[in-house]
Amino acid sequence: MLGELVSIGTLLAFVIVCGGIIMLRYKSPNLARPFRTPLVPLVPILGILICGYMMTSLPWATWERLIVWMIIGLAIYFFYSRSHSKLARAEGSA
């Protein structure tokens, strides 16, 4: 079970990174890039498809656990950031 959770989490992270590469390439084309990805958008699209395909082979129970842990993690992230955001504190004091 732990191996499946690690696998789906890692594959989801790769999907997000590949999507981020495509998004940043089009939203911020002039951004300094010390490391370049070859054949954009082909390589990131293939990465998304292959990782997505591998994720589909995992059992439904693993998907349920992923969704639950993502909801918990996002809730913690957003509730914590509301009270600890440096940007919000700077705007509040201005």
Side-chain angles (χ1 to χ4, degrees):
M1 178 174 67
L2 182 60
E4 291 172 349
L5 285 172
V6 170
S7 294
I8 200 166
T10 304
L11 290 168
L12 179 63
F14 284 142
V15 167
I16 292 169
V17 168
C18 288
I21 290 170
I22 295 170
M23 185 184 71
L24 280 174
R25 193 58 68 99
Y26 290 108
K27 297 260 184 187
S28 302
N30 297 325
L31 194 64
R33 292 180 173 83
F35 301 99
R36 301 206 36 109
T37 303
L39 301 172
V40 172
L42 178 64
V43 170
I45 289 172
L46 288 174
I48 291 169
L49 292 174
I50 292 168
C51 290
Y53 174 74
M54 290 170 59
M55 289 171 72
T56 61
S57 69
L58 293 167
W60 176 246
T62 305
W63 281 91
E64 289 173 340
R65 290 181 191 102
L66 173 70
I67 291 166
V68 168
W69 278 110
M70 279 186 52
I71 291 170
I72 293 169
L74 288 171
I76 292 170
Y77 176 80
F78 285 110
F79 286 123
Y80 181 84
S81 68
R82 288 185 63 84
S83 61
H84 292 84
S85 170
K86 292 179 184 179
L87 181 62
R89 275 189 252 142
E91 288 177 359
S93 64

